[in-house]
C-alpha cells in the first residue's frame, strides 16, 4: 500500500474534479482588471479548439462535460509530468 | 491569470519566450542532474493536483473569482527548478488542449506562473522558516506566506508585461492587478498550508527529499 501512495493521491485529484461544476464562473483577477481598465477587447480567440474552456465537446450536460474535461486533463498531466521526470532520472542512469 | 493572445505585443511575446525557454532549459538540466527516483511520482501527482485545483475558481470580493496557481506548493515539496517543470507541463497542456492561456502568451504565462511564482513561493517559505524555525508552525506559516507572495509577484510581473505591451498604463494596471491578487493570494496561502499540513500528516518523508 505504501509504495502506491501516488495512486491514492491521483484518485483524490480525480475526486477533486467532481467539484469543478460548483466552481465560481465569475471573471478571474486578470479578466476583472482587463474589463475594468478596458483592454478586454484585445483578447483573441485561439486558432483551434480541442477541449476549450474545460468543457468536453459533444455532451449535453455541462456539469458532466466539465467533469470529463477535468478528469482527462488530470490524467494527461499526471502522465506527462511522471513521464518527463522518469525520462530525466533514467537518462542520467544510462550516462553514468 | 492566464494571459490570452492579443494582450501582449510582439516584443513582449518574444522576450518572455526567450527568458522562459532559458529558464525551462536550465530546469531540465538541474532536474536531470539531481532528481531522485522518489520524486518521479510526486512530479506526476503535483501536476495532476495543480491542474485539478486550478479548475476550482473560488469567489472573492466584487464578482471576481480566483484559483490557485500551485507553484508555491510544488516548489516547497520539490524545489523551485522542479516546480518550474511541473508548472510548464500544466501551462502548456492548458494552452494546447484547453485553450486557457494564449499560444503566443505561453512564454509570459510560464514566466509569471511558472518561474516567478515558483521562486517567490520557495524563497518566501524559506524566509519564514529562517525567522520562525522549521517547526510545523514555521512550515505552515511559511507555506502560506510563500504562496501569497507567489501570487502577488506573478501578478506584478503580468502587470508589467501588459504595460510594456501598451495594453494599459503601468500606474493603472499595476495597482489593479496587485490589489485583486493580494486577495486571491490569501486563498492560495490557505489552500497551500492545508495541503502541506495533509502531506506532513500522511507522508512526512516527502518533506525530507532534496529540493531541486
Amino acid at each position: 500500500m505504501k509504495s502506491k501512495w501516488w495512486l491514492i493521491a491521483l484518485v483524490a485529484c480525480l475526486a477533486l474534479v467532481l467539484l469543478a461544476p460548483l466552481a465560481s464562473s465569475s471573471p478571474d483577477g486578470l479578466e476583472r482588471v482587463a474589463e475594468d481598465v478596458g483592454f478586454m477587447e484585445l483578447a483573441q480567440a485561439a486558432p483551434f479548439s480541442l477541449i476549450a474552456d474545460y468543457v468536453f465537446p459533444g455532451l449535453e450536460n455541462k456539469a458532466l462535460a466539465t467533469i470529463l474535461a477535468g478528469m482527462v486533463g488530470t490524467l494527461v498531466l499526471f502522465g506527462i509530468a511522471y513521464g518527463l521526470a522518469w525520462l530525466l532520472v533514467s537518462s542520467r542512469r544510462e550516462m553514468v | 491569470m492566464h494571459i490570452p493572445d492579443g494582450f501582449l505585443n510582439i516584443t513582449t511575446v518574444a522576450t518572455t519566450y526567450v527568458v522562459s525557454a532559458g529558464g525551462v532549459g536550465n530546469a531540465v538540466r538541474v532536474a536531470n542532474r539531481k532528481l531522485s527516483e522518489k520524486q518521479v511520482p510526486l512530479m506526476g501527482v503535483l501536476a495532476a493536483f495543480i491542474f485539478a485545483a486550478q479548475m476550482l475558481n473560488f469567489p472573492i470580493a466584487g464578482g471576481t473569482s480566483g484559483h490557485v496557481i500551485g507553484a508555491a506548493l510544488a516548489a516547497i515539496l520539490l524545489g523551485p527548478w522542479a516546480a518550474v517543470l511541473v508548472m510548464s507541463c500544466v501551462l502548456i497542456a492548458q494552452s494546447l488542449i484547453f485553450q486557457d492561456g494564449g499560444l503566443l502568451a505561453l512564454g509570459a504565462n510560464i514566466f509569471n506562473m511558472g518561474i516567478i511564482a515558483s521562486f517567490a513561493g520557495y524563497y518566501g517559505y524559506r524566509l519564514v522558516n529562517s525567522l520562525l524555525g522549521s517547526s510545523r508552525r514555521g512550515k505552515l506559516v511559511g507555506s502560506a506566506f510563500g504562496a501569497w507572495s507567489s501570487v502577488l509577484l506573478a501578478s506584478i510581473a503580468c502587470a508589467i508585461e501588459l504595460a510594456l505591451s501598451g495594453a494599459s498604463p503601468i500606474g493603472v494596471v499595476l495597482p489593479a492587478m496587485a490589489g485583486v491578487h493580494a486577495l486571491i493570494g490569501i486563498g492560495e496561502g490557505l489552500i497551500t498550508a492545508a495541503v502541506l499540513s495533509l502531506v506532513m500528516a500522511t507522508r512526512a518523508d516527502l518533506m525530507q527529499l532534496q529540493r531541486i
Side-chain angles (χ1 to χ4, degrees):
Chain A
M1 207 56 180
K2 205 181 176 212
S3 63
K4 289 279 181 273
W5 69 271
W6 55 265
L7 202 57
I8 298 166
L10 182 59
V11 171
C13 292
L14 290 170
L16 204 58
V17 169
L18 297 174
L19 299 174
L22 304 174
S24 167
S25 53
S26 297
D28 78 359
L30 173 61
E31 289 164 342
R32 162 60 57 206
V33 170
E35 281 170 19
D36 289 354
V37 174
F39 58 89
M40 196 63 199
E41 74 282 355
L42 293 175
Q44 292 160 359
F48 61 89
S49 115
L50 291 177
I51 313 179
D53 296 323
Y54 305 95
V55 176
F56 204 88
L59 284 177
E60 286 285 314
N61 186 321
K62 173 100 189 284
L64 206 63
T66 302
I67 290 171
L68 186 59
M71 289 195 167
V72 168
T74 303
L75 290 173
V76 164
L77 275 156
F78 178 81
I80 291 174
Y82 190 107
L84 172 68
W86 182 84
L87 272 176
L88 288 170
V89 170
S90 60
S91 70
R92 175 183 58 224
R93 212 182 298 122
E94 281 154 24
M95 282 191 301
V96 173
Chain B
M1 208 192 298
H2 294 61
I3 305 173
D5 281 336
F7 282 8
L8 303 179
N9 67 8
I10 191 67
T11 316
T12 310
V13 164
T15 311
T16 50
Y17 253 98
V18 169
V19 173
S20 289
V24 172
N26 193 57
V28 167
R29 269 190 301 278
V30 174
N32 191 211
R33 209 169 56 233
K34 293 206 236 157
L35 199 68
S36 74
E37 241 158 276
K38 263 188 108 174
Q39 286 164 319
V40 172
L42 185 57
M43 291 260 298
V45 165
L46 279 167
F49 173 75
I50 289 166
F51 175 84
Q54 286 203 2
M55 287 185 73
L56 305 176
N57 283 59
F58 48 83
I60 60 162
T64 307
S65 75
H67 63 67
V68 295
I69 297 177
L73 179 70
I76 290 163
L77 290 172
L78 287 167
W81 288 111
V84 167
L85 290 183
V86 169
M87 292 308 297
S88 300
C89 289
V90 173
L91 292 163
I92 290 169
Q94 285 172 329
S95 179
L96 292 179
I97 306 176
F98 300 92
Q99 283 70 58
D100 190 13
L103 296 170
L104 293 173
L106 185 58
N109 284 326
I110 290 179
F111 180 71
N112 301 340
M113 289 182 278
I115 298 172
I116 295 283
S118 295
F119 279 88
Y122 184 70
Y123 286 103
Y125 170 76
R126 290 276 303 266
L127 176 71
V128 174
N129 273 194
S130 67
L131 295 174
L132 296 184
S134 47
S135 59
R136 182 185 145 81
R137 191 178 69 111
K139 284 184 175 130
L140 292 181
V141 174
S143 69
F145 176 74
W148 180 80
S149 320
S150 73
V151 178
L152 188 69
L153 288 179
S155 78
I156 289 172
C158 181
I160 293 171
E161 290 149 15
L162 291 166
L164 288 174
S165 298
S168 174
I170 188 85
V172 174
V173 73
L174 184 65
M177 282 295 285
V180 70
H181 287 94
L183 283 176
I184 295 174
I186 296 173
E188 177 103 24
L190 293 174
I191 292 168
T192 304
V195 174
L196 199 68
S197 141
L198 182 69
V199 172
M200 287 195 285
T202 56
R203 292 283 311 206
D205 58 311
L206 293 180
M207 299 295 294
Q208 311 303 326
L209 300 172
Q210 189 200 4
R211 306 300 199 274
I212 293 162

